[in-house]
Each structure stands twice: as structure tokens, then as C-alpha cells.
Amino acid sequence: MRQKRFFLSEDLIPRQWYNIVADMPVKPAPMLDPATRKPVTEEDLCRIFCRECARQELNATDRWIDIPGEVREKYTYYRSTPLVRAYGLEEALDTPAHIYFKNESVSPIGSHKLNSALPQAWYCKQEGVSNVTTETGAGQWGTALAYAAKTFGLEAAVYQVKLTYEQKPYRRSMMQVFGAQVTPSPSMSTRAGKDILTANPNHQGSLGTAISEAVELAGMTPGCKYTLGSTMNHVSLHQTVIGLEAEKQMEMAGEYPDIVIACFGGGSNFGGIAFPFLRHNLEGGRNTRFIAAEPESCPKLTKGRFEYDFGDEAGYTPLIPMFTLGHDFVPSNIHAGGLRYHGAGAIVSQLLKDGMMEGMDIPQTESFDAAVLFAKAEGIIPAPESGHAIAAAIREALKCREEGAGKVILFNLSGNGLVDMPSYDQYLRGNLIDFRYKKD
Amino acid sequence: MRQKRFFLSEDLIPRQWYNIVADMPVKPAPMLDPATRKPVTEEDLCRIFCRECARQELNATDRWIDIPGEVREKYTYYRSTPLVRAYGLEEALDTPAHIYFKNESVSPIGSHKLNSALPQAWYCKQEGVSNVTTETGAGQWGTALAYAAKTFGLEAAVYQVKLTYEQKPYRRSMMQVFGAQVTPSPSMSTRAGKDILTANPNHQGSLGTAISEAVELAGMTPGCKYTLGSTMNHVSLHQTVIGLEAEKQMEMAGEYPDIVIACFGGGSNFGGIAFPFLRHNLEGGRNTRFIAAEPESCPKLTKGRFEYDFGDEAGYTPLIPMFTLGHDFVPSNIHAGGLRYHGAGAIVSQLLKDGMMEGMDIPQTESFDAAVLFAKAEGIIPAPESGHAIAAAIREALKCREEGAGKVILFNLSGNGLVDMPSYDQYLRGNLIDFRYKKD
């Protein structure tokens, strides 16, 4: 009998994360203080981040970094996540490709975000922090942080992008079930929010704006630290638990991926699944392709410029060496809220610059076509973000059909779409449109 | 390291369902034709059901019934579901009890309902049926049938209880993603619906009413068969895959349950987890308690009468020997839509009459208190229905604390609450009330 799903026993759940920086031939350029143009230090970052996250961000040189025991124990609440052979999708596409997906959507909060929320909350707790704050786009990260904070006895305040706060009220409720305080962003509760609302009272919010608000709150509030769900090095580091598991599970399946695909917002779910496999490319043993699927309307990887830019809209963060559309870029109101971000993380940007991965632009309607096809074939309704990865996987699988090539394709199903149903409603009613990227 | 979750490898997923009727010392009384008062025959049932389901309902005498290979293959898309040791909940309750739950909420459609939707759709397909119809309360069953129908190439028409159609629009969308046609019930599309709306234009719907509509549609439409998500013998039969897996998983954990708990609407998730363990009571080797947790406002098990009654509001079904509040009982508008049903299935009713299980009434607010406590402790937001099972488990675990008794408690987490967030909103705002049961 052909096997559909692959799990790891709990003793095989990784005990260490993989730090790709140690293996990169060209290291990412340092983040700069915008005032002095000098590299930021751990002390600088510690003003808003907890110390261990700051250390991991700037000064982690080890290839492997231990997962704290208590964090690993909470991982066992939902990990290993299944690696799934997508027989249903393969049949629907009539492709000779072998398609696998890593199903991070089975996490209790519905996405991969918990993988980093748990360690970030735990480190904060160890350092005597009482409150954490953050921003959230689609609400996936905010929900993860709300649960992680509750788990380790912290209070959480979340700024949620106004568009998704209204489009996806269910995630706001989930955060509240876990005891978090949720504010739609831009809000009048911060200077950054006030400035933006004054300039544009109908601003629908963006990740960049919400980051500004959360960073400001952390900087102003004693005992409060900022946490981040994507983009930064330490977040991708925590997410490598995905790829490390997938590597062992692909071994169980007796295969190795020719192509690894993930959707791309800030880069954490992409890095999470890609970096552990990319290390074998870096070591010289493998030649896997890595595809980051981004929205056509927010194409920082294919149409952005590699330069120093702020991570947020208001310019509170350090300058980050990144592929960016500009920190004042206002993304279109696509339903994949988690992908509405102007820039890419420093590691991924360097890897892209060095030709070790590629970007692929997916129109919104194609992402929903793919998501619905996948739902019917595999039974799982994916998050709109994940629909981009599925669309890219389908493109590659159809190419395999044309070429008669039985390639092995692995993609990350970063989250489920159970609370994104209003987006599907719009799609089914034919009301979804594609937004093109326009340069100012 | 203590193990949190237990999975079965795919070769250990059951190949047969367990038919408890074969082992019951007193068999359920037969269903009767309301006109003739004679037992209904397979031919009678075949007017609306497919033949194999009719056969399983009335004439299955074997103890074990083979799971068709294609159905079992689709089971592997999400089974085995994990058996989980609820360490988080145990710690929150400070109880010496060992609490386990079978996590059916990881099914792609979010509940256990798929376990029966798949075989029902498959049997229909084998028999040349082209369309299936059904009713749904919370939308869990309708979503399952929509996906199962799509999987085996059938069209699906679902009557959804109006209250939940409006309270939980996301499930309507999920059904539509899978290609089903969804109609709020009572509707003007059937005689049953018209009659009810004429008598009460504000009727919020009930499972009983929606059943009437679907049965009428199946009876009037060539090539269309009716399917049912609970109550009937063949549905509980299919659900025994839950308990059969759980039995092997409890073995892996080195324990055996002293108490088995499930929420109770029509009885299928209860029967699913309970019957395989109950067989060891019937064999004489075990003395496990079985608790069916029902809403205080719809207490057919504790306050209903054991008598022949219709399964639906309009009186289209055969007369079923059941604990019932009367087929014209209009349940209160509680959020656990799947538990708003006036009667219990024939098997469970007989077992209750014979003292082999017990009912437990849970007020709505207690079910949400339990659900939120569970969410914070285990990370999973449960369906409001499942909140009743959790509340009962918590009652028993607290009793263990008082008595210093390290009992083993197993409950079925029948579904997740990700699309039930409006109910949680009301709870968090303090707007939820308890409905008492009132006899007319």
C-alpha cells in the first residue's frame, strides 16, 4: 500500500535549529543604525527585543543552535507535522511529478507561525519580561504569539493590520480567546499610527505600519519586548524545524526534492523549509531549486531593488540590506494579508542576490484557482498565502507533465484557510481581481 | 521524555468497523413504518438511502464489517488522528487523573464527520447514484459530505439549519469550495419547509426540520440519495474507526480508560469512540464508564422518554425506538448547533436503557468555560459541541482531584472551533446565557 503521510516519532523531533548564516559563502551585510550608518549592536536591538533573540539575530555563528527543552516540549503538542504525498493533486494534474507538502496547517493555531512564537515568548519569560507586543497581517502570527504568551505566562498586545482585522475577524477572536489585547492598525494609540492616519484617514494598514506601532509600544513600555513573526534572521532560524523534519520525512519516503517551494511574505516559512535543504546545495552535494512564491502585486523578489531600507513604514527599525519595493510602498488589498510586505529578510536577500534561490510572481486569481483545486484534491482548504506556493508547485508539476519529467516537488503548506472563508466567498462569486504592480 | 501524541502507522489503520449490535445482549427494537406499525425493510429504506447503508442499518449481523479499500485509502489522508495526552489540561486542573483526547479535529474538514461521509458517498457511487443530499446543523456534516461527494464524483445538495447558516457562514463557504449547493432550512424549496415557514415565518431551523427537507428532496429526485451524519446505526458503525484507533493508541500509551466521554447530538461521535471500548465491558473483561455529554437545554438522555418517535420534525422518517424530547421539540438557540437534536439513535438508546452508559447535562456557559480553559492549556480551540465533552472530562478530573484518584479519562475532541469564533466572541463579551429545558 502506498503511504500517504509521514510522521516522526517524538524523539526524532529536532533538538537544534539550523543556522544557515554559518554556511553562507557571502554573509548578509550588517544592519545599520540609520543615524550613524554604523552596524547595529546587540545592545541596540535589546532596546526592543529580548537579549537572546538579539544575540541570535546578530551574533549567532554556530551552525546548530539548541532548542530549549521547554520549547521543544511545546513543539510536541503539534509536531512533527505530517509530510504528505499529494496523490490527489498529482492525479488531478495528471503529472509524473511526485508532489509532497509539509503540512504546517495542522498546528493548533493553523499555521507555521507557532514555531517561532514559542521560543520568542520563552526567551522573554527567562529574561524577566512581563509583556510582549507585535504586529500581525493575516492574524496568523498574532494568534501564534497570543497562544505562546499565554503558554509561558506573559501578557500580549497585538497590532493587527486593519484590512485583515476587518476581513478576518475570526483571528482577532482567536487571539482574544488566548487572552491577548488586539488593536487594529493604524491606531491612534501610537505616534506612528497617528501620523499615518492624519496623512491618510482611510489607510487600510500594512505590516510595515503595524510594525511601527508595536516597536513604538515596546520602546515606551517598561518590561515590554517586541517580537516579530518573519523577516529577521532569528525567526527563520526557528522555522528551520520545518525543513529539518521534512528532510528526515523525505528520507522515510525514500526521496529527495528537486524543487522546494514556499510562499513568501518576509521569508520565514520559506527559510524554514528551504534552508535545511539548501545546506546540501551549499555543501556541494545537491542541486535543488528553491522557489519563493510571492504575489504579483507585491513583487519585491523579482522587481524590488537590493538596497538598505527600513523594515517598517515609519522608519523606526534599523536599515536592513534587503530586496525591497521601498518602505513606503503600500501593498494592494490582496487577501493573502501575510504576503503584503515591502521587503525580504537579509539572509534571503543575500541568497537571492547570489543566485541560490529564485522568486516567482503569482497573480491573486491564480493563487485561488490553485487553492480550490488543491482543496478538492487533498481535502484541505489552504490559507490564501499558501495558495501562492501551491500555484507555483502546480506550474512546476505541469511543466513536468510537458517534459515527461518525474521530478520531486516539495512545498510548504504554511497554513489552512478555515478562517479565510470570506476570501473564498469573493473568489467563488467571481469578485476577485488581480492587482498589477505599479512603480510610482 | 514523556510522550504527548500517539499515531498509528498506516498499516495499523483499521480495516474493519465494529458492529456493536452483534454483541448487544438486548438488540435495539426495530424501526417501524408509521402507517403500518410494521418493521421497516431494506426496500423501504432504499427509497431514500443507498442499498448498502440500508443493509448496514437493518441487517448487518456480523461483528466486523470491512472498510472498502478506496474508503480506507481516503482515510489515510487524515488518519490515524492523534491520541493526545492532555498534560497541559492536567496541569491546569492540578489533577492526578490521566487525561487523553482523541483529536478528530485534525481532519481536513475539522471534525470526525468525514469518517462516515466517505463510505456513504462511496457506496452511493458504486450503486450508480449521481446526487446526494443531506441536512447539516453546525455545518460539520455538510462540509464532510461536500468533500466526500467531490472526492467520489457526486453532486451534493445540503440543507443547513438556518441559525447556523447565519451564525457560521464560513462552513457554508467551505461546502461551496467543495462544490456543494447549500440552502438554508427551513426553505421554500420543499413542502416540509413551506409548511413550517407558513406556521412560523421566523423558524430558525433545526436538524429535525432540515432532515425533513433533505428526505423529501431524495424521495422526489431520481438518482438522488439521502445521507445522514448521525443518529443511525450505520453512521455510528463507520465512526467506530475512532475508538478502534484509540484502543491501539491507548495500548501504545500503556493505559486503558476508566471513563470514556463524548459530546452527544445524535450519537455518532459518542458511539464512534465508545463502542469499541464498550465491547470489552460486554465481553466481561472491563468496567469502563461511558458518559454522553449533552446540552442542559436539550437533555434527551436524562429527561427524554424512551419511546417510538420520528427522526425528523415533519414525520417523514420511520418511527425509531429512542430517547426523545418529542420530534416537535424546538431546541434553544445554543451555539453547539450539532447537539440541537431531539432524539438519540436506536443503539445508544437501548444501551442507555440497559444501564451501559450514562448521560450528563452541561450548561452552555460551562461548556464554553471548559473550551477556553482547554484552548489555553492545549492550544486547540474546540468546537462548541466538543466543549461539552471537555466540560464533562473536567468534572470527572476534578472529582479525581478530590478523591486523589489517578483515573484514566479519554474523551473525543470531535471538532475544532476555528469557524465558530462568533460564538466565542459572544462568550468573551459575557453575552452567552444558559437555556433551561422546559417541558411544554
Side-chain angles (χ1 to χ4, degrees):
Chain A
M1 187 179 144
R2 63 192 199 175
Q3 189 169 346
K4 175 77 181 165
R5 301 192 306 158
F6 300 86
F7 286 95
L8 299 175
S9 60
E10 283 179 17
D11 57 308
L12 289 178
I13 293 172
R15 294 171 192 280
Q16 296 180 310
W17 296 300
Y18 169 59
N19 176 23
I20 194 171
V21 176
D23 288 340
M24 287 170 73
V26 184
K27 310 293 180 198
M31 290 194 282
L32 301 182
D33 182 312
T36 64
R37 303 291 289 194
K38 285 190 183 155
V40 298
T41 64
E42 248 181 68
E43 286 313 313
D44 294 333
L45 284 191
C46 282
R47 279 182 217 128
I48 56 164
F49 289 98
C50 71
R51 176 156 300 274
E52 178 58 20
C53 288
R55 193 195 69 78
Q56 291 179 0
E57 187 64 29
L58 296 180
N59 296 322
T61 51
D62 293 343
R63 204 169 178 228
W64 298 98
I65 293 180
D66 288 345
I67 301 173
E70 280 187 81
V71 170
R72 189 172 179 278
E73 198 218 314
K74 291 298 174 187
Y75 276 172
T76 66
Y77 276 45
Y78 62 102
R79 308 204 69 85
S80 67
T81 61
L83 176 80
V84 186
R85 174 78 183 268
Y87 289 116
L89 183 61
E90 289 173 22
E91 284 157 24
L93 298 173
D94 190 24
T95 176
H98 291 193
I99 309 176
Y100 292 83
F101 61 94
K102 180 71 168 160
N103 188 359
E104 290 294 304
S105 82
V106 301
S107 136
I109 56 95
S111 84
H112 68 291
K113 293 291 188 184
L114 203 47
N115 301 331
S116 185
L118 286 169
Q120 289 192 52
W122 188 82
Y123 290 130
C124 282
K125 185 69 181 179
Q126 301 314 301
E127 297 176 19
V129 171
S130 58
N131 293 49
V132 287
T133 184
T134 197
E135 76 292 333
T136 194
Q140 304 265 26
W141 166 248
T143 309
L145 186 72
Y147 166 61
K150 174 56 64 183
T151 295
F152 294 123
L154 300 164
E155 299 300 317
V158 179
Y159 289 93
Q160 182 171 19
V161 174
K162 193 170 151 198
L163 181 75
T164 45
Y165 184 91
E166 286 163 5
Q167 268 185 354
K168 298 173 183 175
Y170 283 30
R171 284 208 211 277
R172 187 247 313 139
S173 308
M174 290 170 69
M175 293 186 250
Q176 290 168 336
V177 164
F178 293 127
Q181 192 185 52
V182 188
T183 307
S185 167
S187 77
M188 296 300 278
S189 70
T190 64
R191 205 192 63 202
K194 269 180 214 158
D195 288 352
I196 288 162
L197 284 174
T198 304
N200 178 359
N202 290 318
H203 198 291
Q204 292 300 297
S206 69
L207 275 174
T209 303
I211 292 173
S212 299
E213 294 208 85
V215 166
E216 186 179 326
L217 182 74
M220 308 280 283
T221 314
C224 179
K225 290 294 179 187
Y226 172 71
T227 65
L228 191 69
S230 190
T231 311
M232 293 183 80
N233 300 354
H234 66 280
V235 184
S236 299
L237 172 72
H238 303 154
Q239 294 294 353
T240 58
V241 69
I242 301 172
L244 292 167
E245 283 185 1
E247 191 185 350
K248 294 183 201 170
Q249 290 165 310
M250 291 294 299
E251 260 177 52
M252 291 168 70
E255 306 221 64
Y256 191 90
D258 298 303
I259 305 172
V260 173
I261 298 170
C263 64
F264 195 96
S268 82
N269 104 81
F270 174 81
I273 195 157
F275 293 171
F277 291 100
L278 187 49
R279 87 178 191 275
H280 301 302
N281 278 23
L282 295 174
E283 288 166 349
R286 296 282 183 177
N287 199 22
T288 298
R289 279 177 66 204
F290 297 91
I291 300 174
E294 63 181 1
E296 186 187 36
S297 59
C298 192
K300 59 236 177 195
L301 299 178
T302 59
K303 303 200 177 58
R305 294 203 302 184
F306 184 79
E307 61 188 17
Y308 271 104
D309 195 6
F310 292 106
D312 69 325
E313 176 150 349
Y316 288 172
T317 70
L319 288 166
I320 304 168
M322 50 155 68
F323 278 89
T324 175
L325 299 167
H327 67 276
D328 54 355
F329 175 74
V330 180
S332 306
N333 290 350
I334 57 169
H335 288 270
L339 308 186
R340 297 175 73 245
Y341 185 64
H342 66 276
I347 295 175
V348 171
S349 292
Q350 189 63 48
L351 292 169
L352 181 66
K353 187 159 178 281
D354 294 342
M356 294 178 182
M357 53 170 283
E358 53 198 284
M360 183 181 283
D361 292 347
I362 306 289
Q364 174 162 260
T365 50
E366 183 180 343
S367 74
F368 275 88
D369 288 344
V372 169
L373 176 67
F374 178 80
K376 289 177 177 169
E378 294 290 331
I380 303 166
I381 298 179
E385 291 81 2
S386 310
H388 291 73
I390 299 169
I394 289 174
R395 283 189 190 180
E396 293 299 322
L398 292 178
K399 209 184 292 174
C400 287
R401 185 173 73 183
E402 278 170 33
E403 298 167 356
K407 287 185 185 163
V408 177
I409 299 171
L410 166 67
F411 71 87
N412 195 33
L413 185 73
S414 54
N416 70 54
L418 296 187
V419 298
D420 299 291
M421 296 317 299
S423 309
Y424 282 92
D425 275 353
Q426 285 205 26
Y427 170 78
L428 292 174
R429 288 178 194 142
N431 291 341
L432 270 201
I433 57 167
D434 286 328
F435 296 91
R436 306 282 156 188
Y437 171 66
K438 280 194 300 253
K439 282 186 89 168
D440 296 328
Chain B
M1 187 179 146
R2 63 190 198 175
Q3 192 169 345
K4 174 77 181 164
R5 300 192 308 157
F6 300 86
F7 286 95
L8 299 175
S9 60
E10 282 178 18
D11 57 310
L12 289 179
I13 293 172
R15 293 172 192 280
Q16 297 179 309
W17 296 299
Y18 169 59
N19 176 24
I20 195 172
V21 175
D23 288 340
M24 286 170 73
V26 184
K27 311 295 181 199
M31 288 194 282
L32 301 182
D33 182 310
T36 65
R37 304 291 289 192
K38 285 190 185 156
V40 299
T41 64
E42 247 181 71
E43 287 312 312
D44 293 334
L45 283 191
C46 282
R47 280 183 216 129
I48 56 166
F49 289 98
C50 71
R51 177 157 302 274
E52 177 58 18
C53 288
R55 193 195 68 76
Q56 290 179 359
E57 186 64 27
L58 297 180
N59 296 323
T61 51
D62 293 343
R63 203 167 180 231
W64 298 98
I65 293 179
D66 288 347
I67 301 173
E70 280 188 81
V71 171
R72 189 171 178 278
E73 197 216 316
K74 291 297 174 187
Y75 276 172
T76 66
Y77 277 45
Y78 63 102
R79 310 201 67 85
S80 67
T81 62
L83 176 80
V84 186
R85 174 78 183 267
Y87 289 116
L89 184 61
E90 289 174 22
E91 284 157 24
L93 298 173
D94 191 23
T95 176
H98 292 192
I99 308 176
Y100 292 84
F101 61 94
K102 180 71 169 160
N103 188 1
E104 290 293 305
S105 83
V106 301
S107 136
I109 58 95
S111 83
H112 69 291
K113 293 292 190 184
L114 204 47
N115 301 331
S116 185
L118 287 168
Q120 289 193 51
W122 188 82
Y123 290 131
C124 283
K125 186 68 180 179
Q126 300 315 301
E127 297 176 19
V129 171
S130 59
N131 293 50
V132 286
T133 184
T134 197
E135 75 292 334
T136 194
Q140 303 265 26
W141 167 247
T143 309
L145 186 72
Y147 167 60
K150 175 55 62 185
T151 295
F152 294 122
L154 301 164
E155 298 301 316
V158 180
Y159 289 93
Q160 182 171 21
V161 175
K162 194 169 153 198
L163 181 75
T164 45
Y165 184 92
E166 287 165 3
Q167 268 185 354
K168 297 173 183 176
Y170 284 30
R171 284 208 213 277
R172 188 249 311 141
S173 308
M174 290 168 70
M175 292 186 252
Q176 290 169 335
V177 164
F178 292 127
Q181 191 186 53
V182 188
T183 308
S185 167
S187 77
M188 297 300 280
S189 71
T190 63
R191 206 194 60 201
K194 269 181 212 156
D195 288 352
I196 288 163
L197 283 174
T198 305
N200 179 0
N202 290 318
H203 198 292
Q204 292 299 297
S206 70
L207 277 174
T209 303
I211 292 173
S212 299
E213 295 207 85
V215 166
E216 186 179 326
L217 182 73
M220 308 279 285
T221 315
C224 178
K225 290 293 179 188
Y226 173 70
T227 65
L228 191 70
S230 190
T231 311
M232 292 184 81
N233 300 354
H234 66 279
V235 184
S236 299
L237 171 73
H238 305 154
Q239 293 294 352
T240 58
V241 69
I242 302 172
L244 293 167
E245 283 185 3
E247 191 187 348
K248 293 184 202 170
Q249 291 165 309
M250 290 295 299
E251 259 176 53
M252 291 168 70
E255 306 219 64
Y256 191 90
D258 298 303
I259 306 172
V260 173
I261 298 169
C263 64
F264 196 96
S268 82
N269 104 82
F270 173 80
I273 193 157
F275 293 171
F277 292 100
L278 187 49
R279 87 178 190 277
H280 300 302
N281 278 23
L282 295 174
E283 288 167 347
R286 295 283 184 177
N287 199 23
T288 299
R289 279 176 65 204
F290 297 92
I291 300 173
E294 64 182 1
E296 187 187 35
S297 60
C298 193
K300 59 236 178 195
L301 300 179
T302 60
K303 303 202 177 57
R305 292 202 303 182
F306 184 78
E307 61 189 17
Y308 272 104
D309 195 8
F310 293 106
D312 69 324
E313 177 151 347
Y316 288 172
T317 70
L319 289 166
I320 304 168
M322 51 154 68
F323 276 89
T324 174
L325 298 166
H327 66 276
D328 54 354
F329 174 74
V330 180
S332 306
N333 289 350
I334 56 169
H335 288 270
L339 308 186
R340 297 174 75 245
Y341 185 63
H342 67 276
I347 295 176
V348 171
S349 292
Q350 188 64 47
L351 292 169
L352 181 65
K353 186 158 177 280
D354 294 342
M356 293 177 182
M357 54 168 284
E358 53 198 285
M360 184 181 281
D361 292 348
I362 306 289
Q364 174 161 261
T365 50
E366 184 180 342
S367 73
F368 274 88
D369 288 343
V372 170
L373 177 67
F374 179 80
K376 289 177 177 168
E378 294 289 331
I380 304 165
I381 298 179
E385 291 81 3
S386 310
H388 291 72
I390 298 169
I394 289 175
R395 282 191 191 180
E396 293 298 322
L398 292 178
K399 209 185 291 175
C400 287
R401 186 173 71 185
E402 277 169 34
E403 297 167 357
K407 288 185 183 160
V408 177
I409 300 170
L410 167 66
F411 70 88
N412 195 33
L413 185 73
S414 54
N416 70 53
L418 296 187
V419 297
D420 300 290
M421 296 317 297
S423 309
Y424 281 92
D425 275 353
Q426 284 206 26
Y427 170 79
L428 292 173
R429 288 176 194 143
N431 291 341
L432 270 201
I433 57 166
D434 287 327
F435 296 92
R436 306 283 156 185
Y437 170 65
K438 279 193 301 254
K439 283 186 88 166
D440 294 330

